[in-house]
Amino acid sequence: MSTAFVAPEDIETETLEAAVKARHWLHRHPEIALREYDTTHFITDQLASYGIETRQQTASGSADDRSDHQLGTGVVADIHGLQGDGPTLALRADIDGLPLAENADHPFASLNPGMMHACGHDLHTASLLGAAKELQGHRDRFRGTVRLLFQPAEESELGAQKVLAAGWLDGVDLIVGYHNHPGLPVGTVGISSKAIMSGNYRFDVTIHGKGAHGSRPEDSADPIAAFTAMSAQIQTIVSRNVSPLEPVVVSITQVRSGSAWNVIPSDLEFHGTARAFNRHSAELIQERLTRIVQGVSDAYAVRSDLDWSVRAVPIENDPDLASALARSAESYALHVIEPQPSLGSDDFADFQHSGIPGLFSFIGSNGDPGASGWHTPNFEAKDSALPYAIDYYTHAVDTLLA
């Protein structure tokens, strides 16, 4: 197999071809959060072929095989440099796909019905496998330890928190990761000392009213009418409480109620997400949402339950790491940019907030006019982004473990 692009001089052609082949296999076989069993086996087998032994742990803390560690899926492994003792640097890639049917005609489209890599985690995983192969073959270039973290369940199920609880990052001094960005051209690497992805907050509301026949609305405590009022007021949380210069989003995304066209239902549930780059804004949204739900419920004689949960905190990059890796990127990237922040989120932030200095960046993966964004059936990350992603990892090691 040969790639459709030229490998950079510092990446072996064999490594890049293996990474492309791995990426295509992963894309054909997407698996959703905490069910990435075949993906886990594939990663483990690939690492073994490079002479890298995985180090999963059972709940009791003793070493065991890949099928019986604490999380059930995901892979962690170490590569020890030959230049002596030094820090432990974790390189992270997420491995899960999404419950979304793919609309693509390329030869490595998903074979798993209703599932696809609509966020490019297959690219992330393949690039870390490529970096692992390079680093294992050049251990004389660095000191300390590189910890390879193939994280499950980034899209849901709080995978980063589970990884931390399992102790997979115990002893790690620094951590580096990235996300592909279809809006940026291939060859672009975006590195910033600022927050580049927002916090992700979920709200779930259930309105308990009183049902009645549609011909007798006076007998009801109508949850639909209450929801309509709540929805209108929720739209003012940002517009009337947050400066227009500050990026904040509140969106209602799901509404469920009723089972008959002529009956006013007794209950209604709605769900949504909020995005913010700082704790103050997140707390303001939660406080205003709580007051709106309670106030409208009282006015409409219904009772409501509100649950607010933190799905991911904002990315907070370490300025020293950002500066060092931005300078390093100039040696391999076509364009090194200060990226525009995204109101998307990534639980890589949990590693940073646990006290591990970290850097999370964007790597251009498409850039074509009209390229589909993350979490869409037509999402496409290009193979040609792989060498830049591999270089991002290996240059991080060269820079931080020199």
Side-chain angles (χ1 to χ4, degrees):
M1 173 182 181
S2 64
T3 60
F5 46 90
V6 178
E9 292 182 0
D10 60 344
I11 300 178
E12 296 177 4
T13 301
E14 180 184 350
T15 295
L16 187 53
E17 291 180 342
V20 172
K21 185 176 180 180
R23 189 273 168 115
H24 290 182
W25 188 95
L26 291 161
H27 196 89
R28 289 189 186 99
H29 303 90
E31 296 172 298
I32 60 175
L34 299 183
R35 299 181 185 177
E36 311 98 331
Y37 301 112
D38 290 343
T39 303
T40 295
H41 292 172
F42 178 83
I43 294 167
T44 305
D45 291 343
Q46 289 292 112
L47 293 177
S49 73
Y50 306 152
I52 302 171
E53 183 178 354
T54 58
R55 57 182 301 274
Q56 281 87 341
Q57 304 290 312
T58 65
S60 63
S62 59
D64 206 332
D65 64 38
R66 66 188 179 198
S67 63
D68 190 28
H69 59 85
Q70 286 176 297
L71 295 184
T73 58
V75 177
V76 60
D78 285 347
I79 302 175
H80 300 287
L82 299 179
Q83 290 290 332
D85 294 336
T88 296
L89 167 65
L91 304 178
R92 178 267 204 166
D94 36 18
I95 68 173
D96 52 327
L98 286 160
L100 188 66
E102 184 168 18
N103 182 21
D105 58 4
H106 53 69
F108 54 95
S110 172
L111 300 177
N112 292 350
M115 288 182 275
M116 71 170 288
H117 274 293
C119 208
H121 294 187
D122 55 323
L123 183 81
H124 303 170
T125 300
S127 64
L128 186 52
L129 285 170
K133 188 175 188 301
E134 287 285 292
L135 293 168
Q136 177 70 2
H138 298 282
R139 289 185 296 148
D140 57 328
R141 291 193 335 209
F142 63 93
R143 63 192 177 95
T145 301
V146 175
R147 181 156 302 170
L148 307 170
L149 172 60
F150 295 88
Q151 181 207 314
E154 187 279 326
E155 297 290 359
S156 61
E157 305 295 339
L158 305 175
Q161 294 183 27
K162 288 179 168 61
V163 163
L164 288 166
W168 284 15
L169 293 184
D170 289 355
V172 167
D173 300 293
L174 305 164
I175 187 166
V176 169
Y178 81 90
H179 205 292
N180 80 90
H181 197 310
L184 296 177
V186 170
T188 302
V189 176
I191 299 177
S192 177
S193 60
K194 302 175 184 178
I196 65 168
M197 299 192 85
S198 71
N200 176 9
Y201 310 90
R202 172 176 174 170
F203 56 89
D204 304 277
V205 180
T206 302
I207 304 173
H208 305 283
K210 178 184 176 184
H213 195 275
S215 65
R216 296 184 59 83
E218 71 275 15
D219 292 339
S220 73
D222 188 351
I224 294 178
F227 165 72
T228 302
M230 287 181 195
S231 176
Q233 293 191 34
I234 287 170
Q235 303 311 311
T236 70
I237 291 177
V238 175
S239 66
R240 293 299 178 267
N241 295 276
V242 180
S243 167
L245 301 178
E246 183 175 343
V248 175
V249 166
V250 178
S251 296
I252 295 172
T253 55
Q254 289 180 307
V255 184
R256 298 189 183 95
S257 186
S259 59
W261 67 272
N262 60 347
V263 176
I264 295 172
S266 58
D267 300 294
L268 179 148
E269 65 179 60
F270 68 94
H271 312 269
T273 183
R275 306 297 170 107
F277 282 95
N278 61 70
R279 181 178 299 177
H280 170 75
S281 294
E283 291 174 348
L284 183 149
I285 295 167
Q286 182 182 9
E287 185 270 336
R288 291 294 300 145
L289 180 65
T290 301
R291 291 175 64 181
I292 288 169
V293 169
Q294 184 60 57
V296 171
S297 297
D298 291 343
Y300 283 75
V302 298
R303 178 176 60 84
S304 297
D305 301 318
L306 166 64
D307 181 67
W308 172 274
S309 59
V310 180
R311 309 302 294 181
V313 291
I315 295 285
E316 292 185 1
N317 282 333
D318 181 274
D320 293 335
L321 291 179
S323 178
L325 294 196
R327 290 194 302 270
S328 172
E330 293 175 355
S331 67
Y332 64 87
L334 299 179
H335 307 286
V336 181
I337 66 167
E338 172 76 23
Q340 181 177 347
S342 168
L343 283 160
S345 64
D346 194 289
D347 66 4
F348 183 91
D350 288 328
F351 303 137
Q352 297 171 314
H353 284 253
S354 75
I356 305 173
L359 179 74
F360 195 73
S361 306
F362 287 139
I363 294 181
S365 59
N366 193 309
D368 290 346
S372 294
W374 301 311
H375 293 216
T376 60
N378 295 308
F379 172 84
E380 180 185 3
K382 296 184 177 182
D383 286 345
S384 51
L386 275 168
Y388 301 100
I390 293 171
D391 264 340
Y392 174 77
Y393 284 132
T394 58
H395 280 250
V397 174
D398 291 339
T399 301
L400 303 175
L401 299 183

